[in-house]
Amino acid sequence: MNNEGQVMQLAKARLREALAAKQKIIWDATSLLRDGRSAILGLGHDCHAFTTIGVFTVHPDVLIQRNRKRNHQVPTAIIERQLTNLEWPIADEAHRLVMVDST
């Protein structure tokens, strides 16, 4: 049984609690689409938190090479589709946008 929705609801509830307590938070997620980022960033904005998006870029060739070394590889077609559909973060999504070339 997949309880991914319940896990996300619990994570968001804990995020709201931490934001209300003015705690520093790191939300680690592969958010390839703006809609996926906006829900989490919106909670931060609602609580007047300073938000930062950290983008760790990897050249697609390196990404494919690293994937081949994984015990549980992601099919190349899925990676290629994700790269095609990727919506790069833009400056107005958060207070700060940090790009790191991690190739």
Side-chain angles (χ1 to χ4, degrees):
M1 183 171 151
N2 186 343
N3 56 357
E4 194 173 309
Q6 290 175 323
V7 170
M8 182 57 86
Q9 290 305 317
L10 177 59
K12 285 181 182 179
R14 290 184 179 171
L15 175 61
R16 276 188 219 93
E17 291 170 9
L19 287 167
K22 307 289 185 203
Q23 295 176 344
K24 292 183 180 180
I25 302 145
I26 296 174
W27 183 278
D28 182 6
T30 302
S31 301
L32 303 176
L33 304 176
R34 186 173 180 143
D35 284 349
R37 296 185 297 268
S38 67
I40 301 307
L41 290 166
L43 290 173
H45 289 287
D46 291 348
C47 292
H48 307 287
F50 182 84
T51 57
T52 301
I53 296 175
V55 179
F56 297 86
T57 62
V58 177
H59 190 278
D61 293 340
V62 174
L63 190 64
I64 300 296
Q65 286 174 351
R66 289 180 183 173
N67 183 56
R68 287 186 185 130
K69 295 177 183 176
R70 295 176 63 165
N71 289 334
H72 303 285
Q73 295 179 18
V74 176
T76 302
I78 291 176
I79 294 173
E80 290 171 348
R81 186 174 68 232
Q82 288 177 328
L83 291 170
T84 299
N85 295 329
L86 171 65
E87 295 175 349
W88 287 99
I90 55 176
D92 72 347
E93 289 185 58
H95 294 103
R96 179 173 55 187
L97 178 60
V98 178
M99 304 284 284
V100 178
D101 181 3
S102 55
T103 333

